[in-house]
Structures are given as C-alpha cells and as structure tokens.
Amino acid sequence: MYAKNLKNTSIYTLDFVISTVGILLRVAFFTLIERKIIGLIHYRVGPNKVVEWGVSQPIADALKLLTKEYQKFTISRLIIYYLGPLISLLLALLYWGFYEYSYSYITGSIKIIVIFSIISLSAYGFLLTRWGSNSKYALLGGYRTVAQIISYEVCLIFLVLIIFYITKCYRVENIALSQRGVWFILYSLPLFITWVIICIAERSRTPFDHAERERELVSGYNVEYGGGFFVLAFVREYGIIIFLRFITSVLFLGINNIILKTFLICIVYVWVRCAFPRVRYDKLIIICWKKLLPYRLAMVALSSCYLS
C-alpha cells in the first residue's frame, strides 16, 4: 500500500511539473503569435529583432522582467501585494492540472465541474491584485471586473449544463468523442457564438477589457507590479485564456486535431481583439442579464425537456 501511494504521488508530481512547463511554453509562444497577428492586422511590424523572426522574443521579455527590482512596502501591504499574483497563478495551474493529471483524487465525471468551480475563484485573484496595486483607479477597476466576472460566470455555467443535457454525459472526453460524426458547432452555432462572447467577457478581453480601461490614467490594474510579479500576472491571464480556448475546441469541435483547432480558435479571439471597439460597461452588463441569461434559461428548459 505504501509503495502504491508513493508511486501515485510520484506520478502526480511528474504530471504537475510537465503541466507547469507546458503552460509556460504555451503562454510564451502564444504571446508571440498574438503580437505577430496584431502586427499584420494593424499593418505594422511585430516582434522581429531577437533571433529569426523574433522567435525568442517572449524569452527575452521574461528575462528582462525577472531582473527588475521589486517594490518595497510595509508588511501589511506586502502580503496583499504578493497574494494577488500568487493566488492567480496557482488557480491557472490548477485548471490544466485537474484536466491533464493521470492520477487525481476526483473522478473523471466531475472534473469539468471542479474546473469551473476553480474558475469562479479567479475573482479573488483579480481583486487582490488591484488592491495590492495601491491605486484608487485600479481598485475601482477591480470592483468592476469582479462584478463582470461573476455576472458572466452564471451564463457560462448554464451553457455547460445545456451541453450536458444534449450529450447526456458529464465527462469532457466523452463529449468530445460523441462528435465523431458531426461537430457540435454545426447544429448549435448560436450556442458557440454566445460561448465565445461569454468567454471573452468572463476573462475581460477586448472588447470587454474593462479590467484595463484605467491604463490611459495609471497604466492599468497592475500599475504597481513590475518584474517577476508582473510575469506571474501575465502568465495567469494567458494561461486561463488558452485553457478556455482549448475547452472551446473540445466541446464544439471534437477531439481530433485538437492542437490545430485550438490554434485556429486563438486566431479568432485575436481577430476579435483587433476588430471591435470596447463596449460600454452598462451595455456589457445589460447584455449579460437581459440578453444572454434569458436565452440560456430557455435553452436549459428545452434541453431538459429533450432529456426527459
């Protein structure tokens, strides 16, 4: 029994290390691809100075940031200053961890429920990061962002319930395998479009990036963060974004060629960032509670009737 537990712990540790390294590499090269695509769309030159075509630009940026000096605060302020990025990064690692680990304490049928439960905790990381910035503009942006995240998480959970009702299973792998004949997106395009809108708004990405609308005044929510802690906040943000796009491809496009499909969805998200202006905050909340949520409730009712 002891040897078996030791073996399981070793597998768990190895999976954690592989998952962490994979997240860091995904984030690094996704930022490079995003900057390249934005440069092409805006008719300007993207990263092209470091090595060939700027391939190692993300590594150079990370090394430059990690050598920056840290801010010096009092003990009480320092605890909040450290907690925000650390909690956010831990949550970003747990998303991939619960999905990828070969050894886990939870069954595969409820992994997706646990993952979305962890996603709901990301609001605390946002709030602590803005509080630790020690700026009233960043703090007000944190309150606004938390309200936005909580609002759109309600719609996100209802949409997942609709997929559960239609596919009649809770395992993400089974949902993906059930799309071998036809992709879910082909007969549920409205669900896919609203899923994309909800994911963009829930992660506060353009055109719903109200978490960073103070950057015209105080350089955004991370105004006091520099060096390594800015890297942590950056990795957390893009790690969650890549994970949601991966889940999007699994739920709506099946499991074959999953890397290529995830890459194509990432390009769509970058195109949305470049093509649409920022939505006014009151209209953003109205879209959630008066448009998307009633639509979701109606679809849940129809899906439950179909299941029965």
Side-chain angles (χ1 to χ4, degrees):
M1 181 63 69
Y2 175 77
K4 182 178 180 181
N5 292 335
L6 183 62
K7 179 181 178 181
N8 291 335
T9 304
S10 301
I11 295 174
Y12 184 86
T13 305
L14 180 62
D15 284 347
F16 178 78
V17 173
I18 294 174
S19 179
T20 302
V21 174
I23 290 171
L24 296 177
L25 292 176
R26 292 184 197 111
V27 169
F29 288 101
F30 173 70
T31 55
L32 176 65
I33 294 172
E34 184 180 35
R35 293 167 69 181
K36 286 284 189 179
I37 295 174
I38 292 175
L40 291 174
I41 294 176
H42 290 170
Y43 295 100
R44 58 181 173 82
V45 179
N48 64 344
K49 297 297 183 182
V50 185
V51 193
E52 284 292 330
W53 303 300
V55 172
S56 61
Q57 185 68 49
I59 300 175
D61 292 339
L63 292 176
K64 181 188 72 174
L65 289 171
L66 290 174
T67 56
K68 296 288 185 179
E69 293 183 0
Y70 296 111
Q71 298 288 342
K72 296 181 180 179
F73 298 113
T74 61
I75 296 299
S76 59
R77 177 61 65 179
L78 201 63
I79 293 174
I80 300 174
Y81 181 81
Y82 286 166
L83 276 179
L86 292 176
I87 291 176
S88 300
L89 180 63
L90 176 62
L91 293 176
L93 296 176
L94 287 177
Y95 302 149
W96 290 100
F98 276 109
Y99 185 83
E100 292 183 348
Y101 289 167
S102 56
Y103 170 73
S104 178
Y105 292 105
I106 60 174
T107 61
S109 59
I110 62 172
K111 277 186 178 181
I112 189 66
I113 305 298
V114 175
I115 289 171
F116 282 105
S117 300
I118 298 173
I119 289 177
S120 65
L121 297 176
S122 62
Y124 294 100
F126 273 99
L127 190 58
L128 288 172
T129 303
R130 284 144 184 78
W131 196 3
S133 295
N134 197 21
S135 170
K136 61 181 179 181
Y137 297 106
L139 184 59
L140 291 174
Y143 293 147
R144 183 172 56 246
T145 305
V146 169
Q148 174 182 336
I149 290 174
I150 293 174
S151 299
Y152 277 88
E153 277 177 359
V154 176
C155 297
L156 188 68
I157 296 301
F158 276 120
L159 193 147
V160 175
L161 288 177
I162 294 171
I163 297 176
F164 288 163
Y165 282 142
I166 294 176
T167 58
K168 299 181 181 180
C169 61
Y170 294 94
R171 295 178 62 95
V172 179
E173 294 82 0
N174 293 341
I175 295 175
L177 292 175
S178 65
Q179 304 177 54
R180 288 179 174 176
V182 58
W183 291 342
F184 195 62
I185 187 177
L186 297 179
Y187 58 88
S188 61
L189 185 60
L191 287 180
F192 175 75
I193 294 174
T194 53
W195 170 273
V196 171
I197 294 173
I198 292 170
C199 288
I200 294 174
E202 203 271 338
R203 287 294 98 203
S204 299
R205 295 285 291 175
T206 308
F208 308 127
D209 57 336
H210 294 279
E212 301 182 6
R213 66 183 302 177
E214 288 81 16
R215 57 188 168 189
E216 293 87 358
L217 299 174
V218 292
S219 185
Y221 67 91
N222 52 1
V223 57
E224 293 292 339
Y225 284 91
F229 283 95
F230 178 79
V231 174
L232 294 183
F234 197 76
V235 170
R236 177 263 307 166
E237 179 180 353
Y238 278 87
I240 299 173
I241 290 170
I242 295 173
F243 178 77
L244 286 177
R245 293 168 188 179
F246 171 75
I247 289 295
T248 301
S249 61
V250 171
L251 294 180
F252 291 92
L253 297 174
I255 202 169
N256 296 327
N257 301 320
I258 192 68
I259 297 177
L260 177 61
K261 294 173 184 176
T262 304
F263 177 73
L264 294 176
I265 293 176
C266 289
I267 293 177
V268 172
Y269 275 70
V270 176
W271 170 75
V272 170
R273 174 181 178 179
C274 298
F276 295 94
R278 181 182 292 151
V279 178
R280 210 171 67 190
Y281 186 72
D282 59 335
K283 292 185 177 180
L284 176 65
I285 300 300
I286 288 173
I287 290 173
C288 174
W289 293 106
K290 293 188 177 181
K291 302 293 179 61
L292 294 179
L293 185 59
Y295 173 69
R296 289 280 168 259
L297 292 174
M299 290 300 296
V300 168
L302 292 175
S303 301
S304 61
C305 293
Y306 169 77
L307 181 63
S308 60

